[in-house]
C-alpha cells in the first residue's frame, strides 16, 4: 500500500548553518516516535493530503513542498492482525504555526528533536537515513575551513603564518558573503510563503515589507561582492563564476520582491492552491541553496553532495512547471467572460512565482558549473 507523510521542520536562528529541528509525534497504539502520515485522499494531491495529516495529527500548519525528498518502507499492521508493506512518500514541511488545539492532541505526544535525535528516535532505517540527510550536518562539517585549519595547525604548527598570508592576499571572504545571501533567500522565501498562505491586513503588509527589505539586503551583498572581485588579488573561483553566482542569487530575491509587489498592486489576498504549492517549493529551494553554500568552501570533497542538491533543485523546477500549467488551465476554465481582468491578474501571479523558481534553477546551474570546474 502507498501512504504519504510530512517531515515537519524548523530552523533555530537565521544563520546559514543554524540547527534544524524535526517534529515527531507518537503513534496512537505503540507510542513509537513517527512522522505525521496517512493514506491518499480523494480529490487531494499527495502533498496536500500529507499537510492535512500534519494538522490533524501534529497540530501544525506550514508550507509543504509538492516534491518529495524520498520514501521509506515499513510494516503496517491491520486490525485483523495481518501486516502489509507500506511505502511512504515524504514531503518537506516548513512549520509556520503550532496550534494550541487539534484533532488528535489527546491521542499523541508531539516533540521537537535535533536531526540526530530524530533519526535515533524513529525505528525505520530508511526514514532514519532521510532525516540524517535532510540537514546534512556532516557535509557542513566537511566544508568548515576552521576545522581544516585546526588539522593543519596540529600537524605543522604554521597556521598563524598561513592565516596571516591568507588575510593579506584576500581580505574578502566570498564564501561568507554567499552564505549571507542564502540566509536572505530563506527569509524572503519564508515571508513569501506566509503571504501566499493568506496574510491579510497588517500581517499582509508586514510580509510584503519584509520581502522588500530582504531584497535591499541582497542588493547590498551583491554590490559588496562585485566590488571585492575588482579590488581583491586572490579569488576562490574564476571572477566570472563569482559574479554570476552572487548575481543569480540576487535575481532570486529580486523575483520574490516583484511577486510581492504584484500581490500589493493587484490587491491579491487569496492565492490559488497551486500558487501556495509553488511558494512551498520556493521555501525548500531556498533551504537547499543555503545548504549548498558552505559546501563550496571545500568543493573538491563535497562535489557529490552538491550535485545531489542541484539535481533536486532542477527536479523541483520541473515539478513547479507542471503545477503552473495545471493552475493556469484550471483558472481559465473557471473564469467567466464577465471577469477577464481577474484571470489576467492570476495569470500574472503564476508567472511571477514561476520566475522565482526559475532563478533557483539558475543558481543550481551555476553551482554545477563550479563543481565541474573544481571538484
Amino acid at each position: 500500500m502507498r501512504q504519504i507523510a510530512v517531515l515537519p521542520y524548523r530552523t533555530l536562528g537565521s544563520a546559514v548553518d543554524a540547527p534544524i529541528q524535526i517534529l515527531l509525534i507518537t503513534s496512537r497504539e505503540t507510542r513509537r516516535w513517527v512522522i505525521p502520515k496517512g493514506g491518499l485522499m480523494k480529490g487531494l494531491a499527495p502533498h496536500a493530503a500529507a499537510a492535512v495529516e500534519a494538522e490533524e495529527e501534529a497540530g501544525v500548519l506550514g508550507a509543504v513542498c509538492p516534491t518529495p525528498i524520498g520514501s521509506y518502507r515499513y510494516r503496517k499492521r491491520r486490525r485483523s492482525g495481518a501486516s502489509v508493506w507500506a511505502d511512504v512518500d515524504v514531503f518537506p514541511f516548513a512549520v509556520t504555526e503550532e496550534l494550541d488545539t487539534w484533532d488528535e492532541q489527546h491521542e499523541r505526544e508531539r516533540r521537537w528533536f535535533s536531526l540526530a535525535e530524530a533519526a535515533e528516535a524513529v525505528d525505520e532505517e530508511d526514514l532514519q537515513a532521510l532525516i540524517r540527510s535532510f540537514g546534512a550536518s556532516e557535509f557542513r562539517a566537511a566544508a568548515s575551513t576552521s576545522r581544516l585549519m585546526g588539522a593543519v595547525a596540529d600537524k605543522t604548527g604554521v597556521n598563524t603564518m598561513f592565516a596571516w598570508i591568507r588575510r593579506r592576499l584576500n581580505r574578502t571572504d566570498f564564501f561568507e558573503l554567499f552564505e549571507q545571501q542564502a540566509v536572505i533567500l530563506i527569509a524572503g522565501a519564508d515571508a513569501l510563503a506566509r503571504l501566499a498562505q493568506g496574510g491579510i491586513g497588517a500581517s499582509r503588509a508586514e510580509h510584503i515589507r519584509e520581502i522588500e527589505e530582504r531584497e535591499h539586503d541582497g542588493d547590498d551583498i551583491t554590490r559588496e561582492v562585485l566590488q571585492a572581485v575588482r579590488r581583491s588579488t586572490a579569488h576562490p573561483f574564476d571572477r566570472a563564476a563569482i559574479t554570476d553566482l552572487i548575481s543569480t542569487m540576487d535575481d532570486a530575491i529580486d523575483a520574490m520582491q516583484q511577486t510581492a509587489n504584484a500581490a500589493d498592486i493587484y490587491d491579491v489576498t487569496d492565492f490559488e492552491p497551486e500558487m501556495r504549492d509553488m511558494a512551498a517549493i520556493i521555501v525548500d529551494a531556498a533551504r537547499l541553496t543555503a545548504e549548498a553554500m558552505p559546501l563550496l568552501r571545500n568543493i573538491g570533497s563535497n562535489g557529490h553532495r552538491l550535485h545531489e542538491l542541484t539535481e533536486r533543485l532542477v527536479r523541483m523546477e520541473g515539478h513547479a512547471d507542471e503545477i503552473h500549467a495545471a493552475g493556469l488551465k484550471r483558472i481559465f476554465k473557471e473564469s467567466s467572460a464577465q471577469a477577464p481582468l481577474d484571470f489576467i491578474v492570476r495569470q500574472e501571479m503564476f508567472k511571477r512565482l514561476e520566475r522565482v523558481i526559475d532563478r533557483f534553477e539558475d543558481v543550481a546551474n551555476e553551482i554545477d558549473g563550479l563543481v565541474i570546474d573544481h571538484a
Side-chain angles (χ1 to χ4, degrees):
M1 63 179 299
R2 184 187 174 201
Q3 291 188 312
I4 39 81
V6 295
L7 187 66
Y9 72 92
R10 67 182 181 187
T11 304
L12 300 181
S14 59
V16 71
D17 58 349
I20 292 176
Q21 288 189 326
I22 301 296
L23 183 70
L24 300 180
I25 59 174
T26 54
S27 61
R28 283 184 289 195
E29 296 180 2
T30 63
R31 312 304 294 177
R32 296 181 301 110
W33 288 109
V34 297
I35 57 177
K37 65 179 183 296
L40 295 169
M41 301 179 186
K42 187 176 182 179
L44 285 181
H47 68 283
V52 172
E53 297 291 349
E55 182 177 355
E56 293 178 352
E57 295 184 357
V60 288
L61 305 176
V64 56
C65 179
T67 306
I69 57 173
S71 63
Y72 71 96
R73 172 174 285 193
Y74 78 104
R75 278 283 186 181
K76 179 175 178 61
R77 187 166 296 279
R78 300 285 198 179
R79 293 182 179 178
S80 63
S83 63
V84 296
W85 282 112
D87 291 311
V88 187
D89 291 330
V90 182
F91 299 89
F93 186 86
V95 175
T96 57
E97 183 178 355
E98 295 181 56
L99 303 177
D100 294 328
T101 60
W102 65 97
D103 290 354
E104 299 184 12
Q105 69 177 110
H106 300 300
E107 303 175 64
R108 304 178 186 271
E109 179 185 352
R110 71 179 181 187
R111 184 187 305 172
W112 287 101
F113 293 81
S114 69
L115 282 171
E117 291 170 343
E120 287 294 325
V122 300
D123 291 341
E124 299 81 7
E125 291 185 3
D126 290 345
L127 180 56
Q128 292 174 357
L130 275 180
I131 293 174
R132 288 194 181 100
S133 68
F134 189 72
S137 58
E138 65 273 22
F139 291 101
R140 290 196 182 112
S144 172
T145 54
S146 61
R147 297 201 178 194
L148 177 62
M149 289 293 293
V152 171
D154 291 340
K155 292 182 180 295
T156 67
V158 299
N159 67 308
T160 303
M161 179 61 72
F162 180 79
W164 180 84
I165 294 172
R166 185 172 182 271
R167 285 197 300 271
R168 297 296 297 176
L169 286 176
N170 185 12
R171 294 179 181 273
T172 301
D173 187 342
F174 288 100
F175 297 112
E176 182 178 346
L177 294 172
F178 292 151
E179 292 165 15
Q180 290 176 10
Q181 193 80 314
V183 170
I184 288 171
L185 292 178
I186 289 178
D190 287 345
L192 184 60
R194 293 194 299 271
L195 178 65
Q197 287 170 20
I200 57 175
S203 64
R204 177 174 176 273
E206 289 171 1
H207 301 330
I208 293 172
R209 184 170 62 252
E210 181 178 357
I211 297 169
E212 182 176 358
E213 290 174 353
R214 297 296 77 75
E215 191 273 336
H216 294 330
D217 293 339
D219 285 345
D220 291 340
I221 291 177
T222 301
R223 190 178 304 109
E224 183 174 352
V225 170
L226 296 179
Q227 291 173 351
V229 166
R230 289 194 294 270
R231 68 172 179 256
S232 297
T233 57
H235 308 90
F237 310 122
D238 179 77
R239 289 171 182 254
I242 294 173
T243 58
D244 287 348
L245 177 58
I246 199 68
S247 297
T248 304
M249 295 172 71
D250 187 50
D251 289 343
I253 189 65
D254 286 347
M256 291 184 209
Q257 189 211 13
Q258 291 163 7
T259 303
N261 284 346
D264 188 27
I265 292 171
Y266 300 129
D267 198 24
V268 177
T269 57
D270 184 18
F271 284 72
E272 301 295 330
E274 295 88 354
M275 294 180 189
R276 293 195 292 270
D277 288 347
M278 294 173 76
I281 287 178
I282 291 168
V283 170
D284 207 40
R287 179 186 65 82
L288 293 176
T289 300
E291 181 181 336
M293 290 304 108
L295 305 187
L296 296 178
R297 293 179 180 268
N298 191 356
I299 198 169
S301 300
N302 299 320
H304 179 69
R305 178 59 178 175
L306 284 165
H307 179 68
E308 289 178 346
L309 296 175
T310 57
E311 184 179 35
R312 176 165 165 75
L313 283 168
V314 172
R315 188 166 67 249
M316 290 162 61
E317 191 277 337
H319 195 174
D321 284 346
E322 296 173 0
I323 294 170
H324 176 208
L328 277 181
K329 185 175 183 179
R330 183 182 61 78
I331 64 172
F332 179 75
K333 287 183 176 180
E334 294 176 358
S335 62
S336 65
Q338 288 73 32
L341 285 179
D342 182 65
F343 172 77
I344 293 173
V345 166
R346 295 185 182 279
Q347 181 186 38
E348 180 66 17
M349 292 304 301
F350 270 117
K351 185 187 301 182
R352 302 275 183 172
L353 288 164
E354 183 188 30
R355 285 175 182 168
V356 179
I357 300 170
D358 286 345
R359 298 296 77 78
F360 278 105
E361 184 185 27
D362 293 341
V363 172
N365 291 335
E366 293 296 336
I367 295 172
D368 269 340
L370 290 174
V371 172
I372 292 170
D373 290 341
H374 299 277

